[in-house]
Amino acid sequence: MLLDGRKVARELKASLKEKIAKLNNKPHLVVVLVGSDPASLTYVNSKKRQAEQVGMASSIIKLPESTSTETLLETVKNLNQDDSVHGILVQLPLPKQIDTNRVIEAIDIHKDVDGLHPLNVGLLRNDRPYFIPCTPKGVMRIFEYYDIELEGKNALVIGRSQLIGKPIASLLLKENATVTQAHSKTKNIQQLIENNDIIIVAVGHKAMIKKDMLNEHHIVIDVGIHEDGETLVGDVEKASYDKVKAITPVPGGVGPMTIASLLENTYIAYLRKEGLDETSI
Amino acid sequence: MLLDGRKVARELKASLKEKIAKLNNKPHLVVVLVGSDPASLTYVNSKKRQAEQVGMASSIIKLPESTSTETLLETVKNLNQDDSVHGILVQLPLPKQIDTNRVIEAIDIHKDVDGLHPLNVGLLRNDRPYFIPCTPKGVMRIFEYYDIELEGKNALVIGRSQLIGKPIASLLLKENATVTQAHSKTKNIQQLIENNDIIIVAVGHKAMIKKDMLNEHHIVIDVGIHEDGETLVGDVEKASYDKVKAITPVPGGVGPMTIASLLENTYIAYLRKEGLDETSI
């Protein structure tokens, strides 16, 4: 079975659009882009376009590649203080001269729709999430949409990035899965795959997980995305799609959920700022 | 082999005592105790006594069982503002009427020597620890003292508390172990124990892990502590001590490391406040 992230994202965005239409004002997402990396520019434009599709206001602030940490901190500070801004996203990665940690820690946690501020990281780790990082949040929504039981299941997360691997592990643990976190220093990956029911692959290497490493009981989430000639491919070999029990395809799996979750987080930020009931989500 | 936490703690405290003797002022630890739980009182007195043994200043603030959240927040606020205070520890658990999360979040993170503020939790999760919770820090020091290799090893953490299980998992992952976090909903604990090299037991049930569940290759850290007639027993059956490769006994294993780590954190807080070099630790 293919886990259709495009469909889940479409439904989520349709629901957000309806709710946003009833608000007095538009939630406003600001994306800050430093430099002119083509991939980053594509992502940022896509975020703006989709935000507008659901009825949000959206701005992009473009800063030159040579921007200093201090200048970027000043930009973030201004956005923090701007009452018309509900969500701030600083597109990563940042140029080398910028202290990324300082920039992320400067974002007002009430506007940290990317969920990367260490206070948000700590609250998530303590099972009291405030903003959940977008891709992990999207993955959990796919599980929920397809009614995939997590409690008591053995889940293997391959990869331990701050953006993906670690927050997904925290969320799976919160749902009572038994969670193993593997990474580049892990020695027995094949045995771990065999011993687990759910495999989250977030390694960032094209088709690294091969068909013969997986079996027909596995539920697989492929967070990778790589160009492959005219198309895209994930961290999992496409040949495995008809072998496993269920998998998120690339393209059309996790990818579309990331921006949908970002929009949802921005909507939540708006509700909180206005003192509105966020349980209505 | 028994991993002798008493010895490691004694050496750590001796080293701290030497360093503290050279300081211009004494690091000052304040422990706040609400109510009169006998176990908590014993811990708090022990912290004060050991702080004084290494040459620190130490105070206990005792508040009645009926203390409100607001009153405790006021106490914490005053301690935050008191320049003579370097470390603040609010003894847990707090009485039911108190909002523990609000109290912990009110502690100045520069004085949060227990490492429980969510910002400290997030920084630890991001591999940039500021204050590491005391028991997990003590466990890692035992590994270091006995030169136990963690990189590439499979480590099972049984238990997922904020105080113990989760921070230990974060620290093991930082040291490049492949970490599995198990808990009360885990279904295949015996299989997981067999598949792992290092077993951290922090379940809070007397002698729950039996001799026949372990083998001669296991390195075991027993974080439990329970009264058993005249003596103490951990979460691991004592009969297993001569079966496994290495284990922290109870008493005399992890327990002594917790307070030693607290003293070390208070010393670090002092150094930071005074702008002194903390790499000298």
Side-chain angles (χ1 to χ4, degrees):
Chain A
M1 180 172 66
L2 292 182
L3 303 170
D4 186 350
R6 273 200 196 110
K7 184 174 150 200
V8 185
R10 194 164 55 233
E11 292 185 18
L12 173 58
K13 287 192 285 180
S15 157
L16 278 173
K17 188 175 181 175
E18 266 185 39
K19 290 173 188 160
I20 289 167
K22 294 178 195 154
L23 299 174
N24 291 329
N25 286 297
K26 290 179 173 184
H28 181 195
L29 172 68
V30 177
V31 181
V32 180
L33 175 65
V34 182
S36 53
D37 174 65
S40 288
L41 190 62
T42 303
Y43 286 131
V44 163
N45 285 333
S46 184
K47 286 167 185 171
K48 181 172 163 60
R49 191 179 63 248
Q50 293 191 45
E52 287 165 0
Q53 278 168 2
V54 300
M56 289 187 182
S58 175
S59 319
I60 301 176
I61 296 178
K62 289 183 188 170
L63 298 173
E65 182 76 27
S66 62
T67 300
S68 69
T69 300
E70 297 306 326
T71 303
L72 185 51
L73 287 173
E74 194 60 34
T75 303
V76 167
K77 192 178 152 196
N78 290 337
L79 293 170
N80 285 343
Q81 290 169 349
D82 185 339
D83 261 353
S84 77
V85 173
H86 301 95
I88 303 169
L89 184 147
V90 177
Q91 183 69 35
L92 301 181
L94 291 168
K96 280 181 195 166
Q97 78 277 7
I98 292 178
D99 183 337
T100 300
N101 288 326
R102 275 185 72 198
V103 172
I104 289 173
E105 285 170 30
I107 298 172
D108 180 346
I109 74 143
H110 304 98
K111 300 187 178 186
D112 176 34
V113 288
D114 227 5
L116 294 182
H117 190 292
L119 188 55
N120 272 321
V121 174
L123 289 168
L124 175 61
R125 186 66 170 158
N126 286 353
D127 294 342
R128 299 189 297 128
Y130 188 68
F131 282 116
I132 299 172
C134 301
T135 302
K137 182 172 183 153
V139 169
M140 298 309 285
R141 190 174 278 269
I142 289 175
F143 286 130
E144 193 189 340
Y145 186 92
Y146 285 98
D147 217 5
I148 294 168
E149 175 77 26
L150 297 171
E151 180 163 316
K153 299 291 181 194
N154 290 295
L156 175 66
V157 180
I158 313 176
R160 54 172 164 174
S161 67
Q162 291 178 29
L163 218 60
I164 313 277
K166 285 181 178 176
I168 287 183
S170 293
L171 289 163
L172 289 167
L173 187 63
K174 182 169 184 289
E175 297 304 318
N176 295 321
T178 300
V179 182
T180 299
Q181 190 125 37
H183 45 80
S184 57
K185 304 288 185 186
T186 295
K187 288 176 179 165
N188 56 334
I189 194 72
Q190 183 56 41
Q191 190 202 334
L192 289 170
I193 291 174
E194 283 164 25
N195 291 345
N196 279 272
D197 311 300
I198 294 164
I199 317 289
I200 316 281
V201 189
V203 293
H205 293 294
K206 193 190 283 193
M208 195 185 104
I209 302 296
K210 307 292 182 194
K211 179 178 183 174
D212 63 8
M213 299 171 77
L214 299 165
N215 68 42
E216 64 278 16
H217 304 294
H218 281 132
I219 295 173
V220 183
I221 303 289
D222 184 355
V223 185
I225 187 155
H226 313 271
E227 289 189 4
D228 187 39
E230 296 285 291
T231 180
L232 295 169
V233 65
D235 290 348
V236 180
E237 197 182 30
K238 278 185 206 281
S240 53
Y241 288 6
D242 56 9
K243 183 180 188 185
V244 297
K245 186 174 176 189
I247 188 165
T248 55
V250 177
V254 172
M257 293 305 301
T258 299
I259 295 182
S261 299
L262 172 67
L263 303 179
E264 190 180 16
N265 277 348
T266 306
Y267 172 67
I268 292 171
Y270 175 93
L271 294 181
R272 287 176 180 159
K273 180 163 182 295
E274 300 296 319
L276 296 169
D277 180 12
E278 57 178 287
T279 58
S280 66
I281 296 159
Chain B
M1 179 172 66
L2 293 182
L3 304 170
D4 186 350
R6 272 199 196 111
K7 184 175 150 196
V8 185
R10 195 165 52 231
E11 293 184 17
L12 173 56
K13 287 192 286 181
S15 157
L16 279 173
K17 189 175 180 176
E18 265 185 41
K19 290 174 189 158
I20 289 167
K22 294 178 195 151
L23 299 174
N24 292 328
N25 286 298
K26 290 179 173 186
H28 182 194
L29 172 67
V30 177
V31 181
V32 181
L33 175 66
V34 183
S36 53
D37 175 64
S40 288
L41 190 62
T42 304
Y43 285 132
V44 163
N45 285 332
S46 185
K47 285 167 185 171
K48 180 171 163 61
R49 192 180 61 246
Q50 293 190 44
E52 288 166 0
Q53 279 169 1
V54 300
M56 288 186 182
S58 174
S59 318
I60 301 176
I61 296 178
K62 289 183 187 171
L63 298 172
E65 182 77 26
S66 60
T67 300
S68 69
T69 300
E70 297 306 328
T71 303
L72 186 52
L73 288 173
E74 193 61 32
T75 303
V76 168
K77 193 178 151 197
N78 290 337
L79 294 171
N80 285 344
Q81 290 169 351
D82 185 340
D83 261 353
S84 77
V85 173
H86 301 96
I88 302 169
L89 184 147
V90 178
Q91 183 69 35
L92 301 180
L94 291 168
K96 280 181 194 164
Q97 78 278 5
I98 292 178
D99 184 337
T100 301
N101 288 327
R102 274 185 72 199
V103 172
I104 290 173
E105 286 170 29
I107 298 171
D108 180 344
I109 74 142
H110 304 98
K111 299 187 180 187
D112 177 34
V113 287
D114 227 5
L116 295 182
H117 190 293
L119 188 54
N120 272 321
V121 174
L123 289 168
L124 175 61
R125 186 67 170 158
N126 285 354
D127 294 342
R128 298 189 299 129
Y130 188 68
F131 282 116
I132 299 172
C134 301
T135 302
K137 181 171 183 155
V139 168
M140 298 310 283
R141 189 173 280 268
I142 289 175
F143 285 130
E144 193 189 341
Y145 186 91
Y146 284 99
D147 218 6
I148 294 169
E149 175 79 27
L150 297 171
E151 181 163 315
K153 299 292 180 192
N154 290 294
L156 174 66
V157 180
I158 314 177
R160 55 172 164 173
S161 68
Q162 291 178 29
L163 218 59
I164 313 277
K166 285 180 179 177
I168 288 183
S170 293
L171 288 163
L172 289 168
L173 187 63
K174 181 168 185 290
E175 296 304 318
N176 295 321
T178 300
V179 183
T180 299
Q181 190 125 35
H183 45 79
S184 57
K185 305 289 185 186
T186 295
K187 288 176 178 164
N188 56 334
I189 193 72
Q190 183 55 43
Q191 191 202 334
L192 290 170
I193 290 173
E194 283 164 23
N195 291 344
N196 278 272
D197 311 300
I198 293 165
I199 317 288
I200 315 281
V201 189
V203 293
H205 293 294
K206 194 190 282 191
M208 194 186 105
I209 302 298
K210 307 293 183 194
K211 179 177 182 174
D212 62 9
M213 299 171 79
L214 299 165
N215 68 42
E216 65 278 16
H217 303 296
H218 280 132
I219 295 172
V220 183
I221 302 289
D222 184 355
V223 184
I225 187 155
H226 314 272
E227 288 189 6
D228 187 39
E230 296 285 291
T231 182
L232 295 169
V233 64
D235 290 349
V236 180
E237 198 180 29
K238 277 184 205 282
S240 53
Y241 288 7
D242 56 9
K243 183 180 188 185
V244 297
K245 186 173 176 190
I247 188 166
T248 56
V250 177
V254 172
M257 293 305 300
T258 299
I259 296 184
S261 299
L262 172 66
L263 303 179
E264 190 180 17
N265 278 348
T266 306
Y267 173 67
I268 293 171
Y270 175 94
L271 294 181
R272 287 176 181 159
K273 180 163 182 295
E274 299 297 318
L276 296 169
D277 180 12
E278 56 177 287
T279 58
S280 67
I281 295 159

